[in-house]
Amino acid sequence: PLAAYARKQAEFQQVTRINLLTDALPRALELGAVPEHNVCFVVYQWIEGEAAAESLPRLPAAEQYAHGRTAGQILRQIHALPQTKRVDSHAAIVQKVAVRRREMREHGLEFAGYETMVAYLEAHLDLLVDAPTVFLHDDFHLGNMLIDPSGGPRVIDLNRSNFGDPAEGLKRLSTVSRQ
């Protein structure tokens, strides 16, 4: 929707900056909007490659590990871009935890050890006070990576990118990559 234009603009600007450092992400080519259709978009350069989720299992463990390290280095480059935008990660996570707790309670999804887990989480939320603000891919997992023809990992699908604490960018890695 057109209401997402500011977010798309930030995505385009950040990816353009990253493109100066690495070719591991698709090159951002154009930011646009079509008001009469209520859409906005970023056009990216096509990247040749095979889905990492399909190609990595066929590789020896040492090569899988090497690709994982390279992907981590790419993520580090993304997070290392200096930012002027500031996000209060502590307040955002406190709000998210409260919403998730309410949803868990409403749907009867609490389980043995749930209160202990939440108490631990809440006792450590203060670690996020003054957390750095970085540009986040925010959907970083194996399904959003390709192995290019030269054998290198490439990161795609930045439509959920955002700003926040670097740890927040890893939230989907463990759940999505287990599929």
Side-chain angles (χ1 to χ4, degrees), residues 3-149:
Y5 188 80
R7 197 177 67 69
K8 283 296 186 191
Q9 186 175 38
E11 173 188 330
F12 180 79
Q13 291 168 344
Q14 295 300 316
V15 173
T16 299
R17 291 175 64 206
I18 295 165
N19 290 154
L20 297 174
L21 304 173
T22 180
D23 65 353
L25 275 72
R27 189 151 309 282
L29 301 174
E30 181 182 352
L31 168 67
V34 184
E36 58 270 20
H37 293 288
N38 193 33
V39 296
C40 57
F41 58 88
V42 175
V43 176
Y44 288 99
Q45 180 181 30
W46 180 259
I47 295 179
E48 288 294 331
E50 183 180 2
E54 295 173 16
S55 63
L56 285 180
R58 296 191 307 262
L59 297 176
E63 285 183 50
Q64 291 179 31
Y65 178 78
H67 282 305
R69 287 198 42 99
T70 302
Q73 291 165 349
I74 294 165
L75 188 61
R76 181 177 286 168
Q77 284 182 302
I78 294 169
H79 290 176
L81 281 179
Q83 299 298 328
T84 55
K85 182 175 178 129
R86 173 81 176 104
V87 173
D88 185 349
S89 294
H90 178 264
I93 296 296
V94 166
Q95 180 182 359
K96 222 179 253 190
V97 167
V99 168
R100 295 297 184 270
R101 285 196 78 177
R102 188 189 79 245
E103 291 171 345
M104 294 283 285
R105 202 172 21 260
E106 287 172 359
H107 297 292
L109 297 174
E110 295 169 315
F111 49 86
Y114 174 76
E115 288 302 325
T116 303
M117 177 190 73
V118 171
Y120 178 85
L121 175 65
E122 289 177 341
H124 293 87
L125 283 175
D126 62 326
L127 295 172
L128 293 174
V129 173
D130 296 325
T133 297
V134 300
F135 179 65
L136 301 170
H137 180 283
D138 221 21
D139 198 17
F140 193 80
H141 59 81
L142 201 53
N144 284 335
M145 294 181 206
L146 300 174
I147 303 301
D148 69 22

Side-chain angles (χ1 to χ4, degrees), residues 52-54 57 139 141-144 160 172-179:
E54 295 173 16
D139 198 17
H141 59 81
L142 201 53
N144 284 335
R160 291 186 179 179
R172 293 177 55 84
L173 189 60
S174 65
T175 57
V176 175
S177 294
R178 278 189 266 160
Q179 295 176 348

